[in-house]
Amino acid sequence: MEFQTVEWTGDCIKIIDQRRLPDEEVYLELRTPEDVYRAIKDMAIRGAPAIGVVAGYGVALASKKGEKEVRKAISLLKRSRPTAYNLFYALDRMEKALNEKGISSLIDEAIAIHNEDIEKCQKLGEFGAQLLPDNATCMTICNAGALATGGIGTALAVFYMAKEMGKRIKVFVPETRPFLQGSRLTAWELMKNGIESILIADNARAIVLEREGVDAVFVGADRIAGNGDTANKIGTLSLAIASNFFGVPFYVVAPITTFDPSITSGNDIPIEERAPEEVTHIGGKRIAPVNVKVKNPVFDVTPARLISGIITEKGILHPPYTVSIKKIL
Ligand code: MRU
């Protein structure tokens, strides 16, 4: 990768400030759990696996101050964002390490979570890339790349590994309103890493699926229920519906740390709602009437029946997902 999303220095966590991309490559140093909480909440760092990795390091920072601070950090970080399961996976794992191995284990535990994520991304990419022919045309949504993980990404790892296998790849990138992760982050990341990317307006997705010979759609995930229902960035559901309508395979790419074993269906996934200004403003400029009422859910849930396969680090899961997920977990 041409940039570093998360780096543990021993004293602090260095992250690339994703709010400033694509114009400026600025790095932030997070020194306290409160810094980490704000960075996650304000979207300086985002993407389910990346949030999990920095949260683990946030607890590691607290471990320098004693057990009380560690427990406080875990509880604070759990309140930063509600949908991405990787956050809760990482924090529960840090708590378990504290209880079972002691406070001195926490830095190593956070590093292990990060290293495992790097390995998982690589495997996701390898499994996904095998599905693609040479000269493949793909579509994605939001940013499920290196910016969203500790490694080379989930959905975008498929494109990176396909390129490494010598396949030519072209990716349609919907802008992903309201936060524009597609145009600001995915287009930037793919261009920086030499993958042909074509930015489209969100509303152009259906016509592109119908007319541009898209071989497959690959998306990331924030939380996957026991039956395969998948929460991901708002707009994923309508993308899945359109893909199914036009007969384009629709794949979810996610590490097992995104599967929530405690819920049996997508109805139980909490959907984050964010500030109205994300909809009423673009780049600080108002584009809607003052005081207009706004609803801003930032994730949706794609029912399992619309998903052709779930690519994990242990292989590709097929329906019925209740059975294949149970087996893999
Ligand atoms: O609100 P965000 O930018 O954190 O949402 C990110 C997504 O929806 C990603 O697709 C998901 O976290 C998977 S990232 C590998």
Side-chain angles (χ1 to χ4, degrees):
M1 286 298 129
E2 295 290 317
F3 54 88
Q4 181 103 35
T5 301
V6 183
E7 189 191 347
W8 171 251
T9 68
D11 297 319
C12 73
I13 312 157
K14 228 173 127 186
I15 59 162
I16 189 165
D17 187 346
Q18 303 196 21
R19 298 164 302 185
R20 310 276 288 268
L21 292 170
D23 292 332
E24 291 169 295
E25 221 174 299
V26 175
Y27 288 81
L28 297 176
E29 293 187 349
L30 313 177
R31 298 191 172 273
T32 64
E34 289 73 23
D35 289 347
V36 176
Y37 170 82
R38 268 190 302 275
I40 296 174
K41 203 174 169 53
D42 298 345
M43 309 278 282
I45 180 97
R46 29 68 49 204
I51 294 173
V53 169
V54 289
Y57 283 135
V59 177
L61 284 173
S63 73
K64 299 181 179 195
K65 298 246 171 82
E67 185 173 334
K68 200 169 146 217
E69 291 304 309
V70 169
R71 298 207 186 269
K72 229 172 83 188
I74 291 172
S75 139
L76 173 72
L77 291 167
K78 278 193 174 174
R79 282 175 273 131
S80 58
R81 292 190 74 189
T83 305
Y85 186 67
N86 308 60
L87 173 72
F88 302 96
Y89 164 83
L91 291 171
D92 287 346
R93 184 163 154 182
M94 294 302 284
E95 192 167 19
K96 191 162 179 261
L98 173 68
N99 294 338
E100 292 175 7
K101 301 188 232 166
I103 196 162
S104 60
S105 72
L106 293 181
I107 292 178
D108 285 348
E109 195 70 23
I111 292 171
I113 292 172
H114 191 177
N115 286 339
E116 286 166 25
D117 195 53
I118 294 171
E119 277 171 35
K120 284 168 206 259
C121 288
Q122 192 78 19
K123 294 219 172 85
L124 296 173
E126 283 165 15
F127 281 119
Q130 287 164 17
L131 297 169
L132 290 176
D134 186 21
N135 259 326
T137 300
C138 302
M139 192 182 287
T140 186
I141 185 172
C142 191
N143 173 268
L147 285 169
T149 63
I152 60 168
T154 59
L156 300 195
V158 174
F159 311 140
Y160 296 135
M161 292 313 292
K163 184 181 174 220
E164 205 141 302
M165 290 172 187
K167 297 177 183 179
R168 284 159 295 179
I169 305 289
K170 178 169 89 184
V171 183
F172 284 102
V173 179
E175 55 188 349
T176 317
R177 279 278 290 146
F179 211 71
L180 298 170
Q181 287 96 329
S183 56
R184 292 192 306 102
L185 307 178
T186 297
W188 179 82
E189 178 181 329
L190 290 179
M191 287 170 77
K192 231 175 153 58
N193 288 292
I195 306 269
E196 184 182 353
S197 51
I198 302 169
L199 180 64
I200 58 172
D202 290 330
N203 290 342
R205 295 182 317 192
I207 187 74
V208 170
L209 287 169
E210 185 189 19
R211 299 221 179 154
E212 298 294 327
V214 177
D215 293 291
V217 174
F218 295 89
V219 305
D222 281 82
R223 193 184 291 231
I224 302 175
N227 66 350
D229 291 352
T230 295
N232 191 48
K233 183 50 55 196
I234 193 76
T236 303
L237 170 58
S238 54
L239 178 57
I241 293 169
S243 303
N244 276 252
F245 185 82
F246 291 116
V248 177
F250 180 90
Y251 292 102
V252 168
V253 192
I256 287 169
T257 47
T258 307
F259 289 74
D260 181 350
S262 74
I263 56 168
T264 53
S265 111
N267 294 336
D268 298 325
I269 301 179
I271 299 295
E272 178 181 11
E273 299 217 6
R274 293 187 63 88
E277 289 73 23
E278 289 184 0
V279 181
T280 56
H281 289 65
I282 293 185
K285 184 174 168 12
R286 189 166 47 78
I287 50 148
V290 176
N291 291 335
V292 67
K293 279 191 188 164
V294 173
K295 187 162 178 68
N296 184 21
V298 301
F299 296 100
D300 55 30
V301 178
T302 299
R305 65 178 180 279
L306 298 180
I307 300 169
S308 314
I310 305 179
I311 301 168
T312 75
E313 70 273 24
K314 295 201 174 160
I316 304 177
L317 308 186
H318 298 284
Y321 292 114
T322 325
V323 177
S324 51
I325 290 176
K326 204 175 215 164
K327 224 183 210 168
I328 213 150
L329 290 185

